[in-house]
Amino acid sequence: AYRLIPKAMINDRMARAIVDISNCAIEIGPNAAASITPYARFTVLKQVLQLPLVSFKAVVNGLKADVYFQHKNPNALPPNDVYNTRIGQFVTNDTLHCDSSTDLDISLGGEMLLDDPDLVATMVNDFVKQDTVTLTMQAVVTIHAHVWGWLPISLFGITISKSLTVPAFDNFEHKNIALESLVTAYGKPGSLNVSATAQVWNPSPLTMVLRDSFMMQVYYTWQGVRYRMGMLNVHAPLTLKPNMNYPEGFMTVEQTLENADAMQAFISEYIGPQKGIVPAGGGAGALMVSLSDGSSASPLLRRVCSGLAVDVNFRPMPLYFLSAITGDIVALSSIVPPFYSVKVHLQVRNPLPQQVRVKKLRLTAHHLSLQGPTLYEYDRVIKEPEFNPSYYVLNGMEQVVVDFPLHVLSEVSWSFLLSPQEIWELIKEGASQKVTVGVDLSITLEINDGFLQEVRYKNDALSGTLCFHATEPQESCGGLPPMTPHGSRWSLGPSQRATDSLIRNTSRLIV
């Protein structure tokens, strides 16, 4: 009775207690092996502590508690059956003071000694993939109390237990991981090194601090095949506080013969397809990236990473890639057939913080939509003597106009020109200087010294401007600025680029 009655009363109160965790942190590392360092501040209302006709003050000197997490048993029937798995023992030398007349407000720190570091990988997987995680702490304590302020009572060997369910990441379904901004990009043949910040939402009340660096392999599944795209490195310390976080990571994109088509498909799915001049990257479909096969110099974190597999729905942030397309048609500009000329103007933005060079451009324009008849096909390599390559260099985050003269006899579709119905529709659109086209665009970009990447972009209904002239115009159709060579343009510095990015909210890209 001496033990059972107080134990029953204490555990009944603890079961009904609403524990408010206002500051809870779990630190792993540095050089973590078999322990982690948790810290928590929590409060319990005094109404939970009060006993009928009794006031008291109590002290618990130190604490050793077994810690369990609730894990779903995949082999159980039914499948959602759960069981508690002990992950280790929490040890603290802090003294706990309790007064029945005031709310309990405790800051508690200590060390978690792990039974099996492999279980941490299982717990982290659950924390990432489940919507909630339930932790249970069970301890045998000795309580020294003074009842009514003067009567000393000691309760030895009292077992107490408390379970706490906290929100978890739910495979990032609360808020999808999204790219915040690109910081740097450096390319060389076969690889591109990118540093970027991402938006990562932490729905739990726990602050997690990793003081050891780690890396994860990045995979993308295309046409039923899983392709390795590169390596993600996260440098210590990584801190994920409750609510939104903006951690920085470093990714090496590795081009191989095996993943070339998958990489192009990933970029195309990220950018589009679009309909009209709206921010790219707004597709409703999921864009899944898999992070797995991780490693770390830390023994504990290495085990966590090796057992961690995360499927992330990486919905893209808005990206303004192509913002305008216009064309100038000049009649009687030549004394030989077809007696007229066509020049296409594209206003494009470099979404990278790094200078890029346009090496090749392929553009197919369809009347009204991508399913409409072909207006023209343009396929050129940007090199001398036909082109001055300096006109096709874009600084980081820069928006420029690039011009492409058409070879009318070879690049304009004669099947379209010989269709009276299509010509009539084009004439009606030309009367208002507005034309709707479906655009299938492929641009090959070179970043730094030798990293080449083809970017494919589609727009099903792009509204452009068509201008007819009797003589060569002084300005580009639609009021677009003239094309100028690199080096003569006003260039944005880092601070101006950041301001421009913030104002327009357009400087986001996933590589």
Side-chain angles (χ1 to χ4, degrees):
Y2 173 77
R3 288 187 179 181
L4 293 179
I5 294 177
K7 175 183 175 181
M9 293 176 62
I10 292 172
N11 281 292
D12 175 68
R13 294 302 177 95
M14 292 196 67
R16 291 189 288 115
I18 299 176
V19 179
D20 179 23
I21 299 179
S22 58
N23 184 8
C24 180
I26 298 177
E27 293 192 18
I28 300 180
N31 301 317
S35 66
I36 58 179
T37 307
Y39 169 87
R41 181 186 178 194
F42 56 91
T43 59
V44 180
L45 296 179
K46 63 182 179 181
Q47 288 83 349
V48 176
L49 304 175
Q50 292 172 345
L51 299 173
L53 304 177
V54 175
S55 64
F56 64 90
K57 293 182 179 180
V59 175
V60 177
N61 295 312
L63 181 70
K64 290 185 179 180
D66 295 329
V67 180
Y68 301 81
F69 81 98
Q70 201 172 82
H71 180 59
K72 290 186 177 180
N73 184 357
N75 300 318
L77 294 175
N80 62 349
D81 190 23
V82 296
Y83 61 98
N84 284 326
T85 300
R86 177 180 143 140
I87 57 175
Q89 187 177 64
F90 173 72
V91 179
T92 179
N93 294 321
D94 294 349
T95 299
L96 284 67
H97 297 272
C98 179
D99 188 335
S100 62
S101 64
T102 61
D103 295 339
L104 185 64
D105 189 344
I106 294 178
S107 295
L108 196 63
E111 185 179 21
M112 175 85 76
L113 303 176
L114 303 175
D115 291 343
D116 183 356
D118 289 338
L119 289 175
V120 178
T122 303
M123 184 179 68
V124 171
N125 263 292
D126 281 6
F127 195 74
V128 169
K129 295 186 176 182
Q130 306 297 329
D131 57 346
T132 61
V133 169
T134 299
L135 299 173
T136 300
M137 182 177 289
Q138 184 174 300
V140 177
V141 299
T142 296
I143 302 174
H144 302 285
H146 285 83
V147 179
W148 300 302
W150 61 270
L151 180 61
I153 293 180
S154 294
L155 303 175
F156 298 93
I158 302 297
T159 302
I160 59 174
S161 178
K162 176 63 180 177
S163 296
L164 184 65
T165 299
V166 297
F169 281 96
D170 197 17
N171 210 18
F172 303 100
E173 290 295 331
H174 299 280
K175 289 183 183 291
N176 297 310
I177 290 181
L179 193 73
E180 172 63 15
S181 64
L182 288 176
V183 181
T184 62
Y186 178 78
K188 60 182 181 179
S191 68
L192 176 68
N193 296 309
V194 178
S195 64
T197 57
Q199 297 178 358
V200 180
W201 176 259
N202 179 5
S204 78
L206 308 178
T207 295
M208 286 163 285
V209 182
L210 300 182
R211 299 201 176 278
D212 291 308
S213 302
F214 66 95
M215 51 75 59
M216 301 288 289
Q217 305 287 342
V218 181
Y219 297 91
Y220 174 59
T221 300
W222 179 62
Q223 295 184 344
V225 180
R226 191 168 179 253
Y227 292 90
R228 181 182 178 275
M229 309 298 285
M231 181 96 62
L232 174 67
N233 288 277
V234 179
H235 295 169
L238 171 64
T239 301
L240 296 179
K241 298 180 179 179
N243 301 321
M244 189 61 74
N245 298 267
Y246 302 92
E248 182 173 350
F250 301 85
M251 181 174 175
T252 300
V253 180
E254 299 174 2
Q255 286 180 331
T256 64
L257 293 176
E258 290 75 17
N259 71 8
D261 291 340
M263 192 174 296
Q264 289 180 357
F266 179 88
I267 295 174
S268 298
E269 186 176 351
Y270 178 85
I271 293 179
Q274 288 179 262
K275 191 168 186 177
I277 296 182
V278 295
L287 186 56
M288 304 305 296
V289 175
S290 175
L291 304 178
S292 61
D293 302 331
S295 185
S296 173
S298 157
L300 175 59
L301 202 54
R302 184 164 58 246
R303 295 190 182 187
V304 172
C305 290
S306 64
L308 181 63
V310 181
D311 291 325
V312 179
N313 186 2
F314 219 117
R315 294 186 187 276
M317 298 295 292
L319 162 67
Y320 287 83
F321 180 66
L322 175 63
S323 56
I325 179 171
T326 70
D328 282 306
I329 300 177
V330 182
L332 302 177
S333 59
S334 173
I335 61 174
V336 297
F339 309 114
Y340 69 94
S341 64
V342 179
K343 182 179 289 186
V344 177
H345 314 283
L346 299 179
Q347 188 174 55
V348 296
R349 175 182 289 272
N350 175 15
L352 293 172
Q354 179 64 44
Q355 183 186 99
V356 300
R357 294 177 289 275
V358 179
K359 305 299 288 184
K360 185 177 181 181
L361 184 139
R362 187 174 68 251
L363 171 65
T364 303
H366 302 264
H367 192 214
L368 299 180
S369 71
L370 287 170
Q371 289 71 44
T374 299
L375 288 172
Y376 57 84
E377 292 181 289
Y378 187 97
D379 191 353
R380 304 286 184 86
V381 176
I382 308 302
K383 64 179 182 179
E384 295 178 325
E386 184 178 8
F387 296 97
N388 183 345
S390 67
Y391 281 79
Y392 299 87
V393 178
L394 284 72
N395 290 327
M397 315 303 297
E398 186 179 26
Q399 180 172 277
V400 301
V401 173
V402 288
D403 299 341
F404 301 97
L406 291 180
H407 293 165
V408 176
L409 292 177
S410 61
E411 293 173 336
V412 174
S413 172
W414 285 95
S415 62
F416 179 86
L417 295 177
L418 297 176
S419 171
Q421 180 180 355
E422 297 295 340
I423 292 295
W424 175 244
E425 290 293 334
L426 189 60
I427 290 174
K428 289 193 296 182
E429 291 178 313
S432 62
Q433 291 191 324
K434 297 296 181 183
V435 61
T436 301
V437 294
V439 173
D440 189 346
L441 174 65
S442 172
I443 298 180
T444 299
L445 301 175
E446 182 181 32
I447 305 172
N448 291 112
D449 299 322
F451 182 85
L452 296 174
Q453 179 61 56
E454 181 182 359
V455 177
R456 295 176 179 174
Y457 168 83
K458 291 185 178 182
N459 196 311
D460 192 51
L462 184 62
S463 179
T465 303
L466 198 60
C467 300
F468 296 89
H469 311 275
T471 60
E472 194 70 30
Q474 298 298 313
E475 296 181 350
S476 298
C477 183
L480 293 180
M483 184 180 182
T484 56
H486 178 258
S488 65
R489 307 177 200 137
W490 177 74
S491 179
L492 294 178
S495 61
Q496 289 97 341
R497 285 204 301 266
T499 303
D500 180 66
S501 171
L502 180 63
I503 293 174
R504 291 178 173 84
N505 194 26
T506 62
S507 61
R508 291 173 170 102
L509 174 72
I510 181 174
V511 179

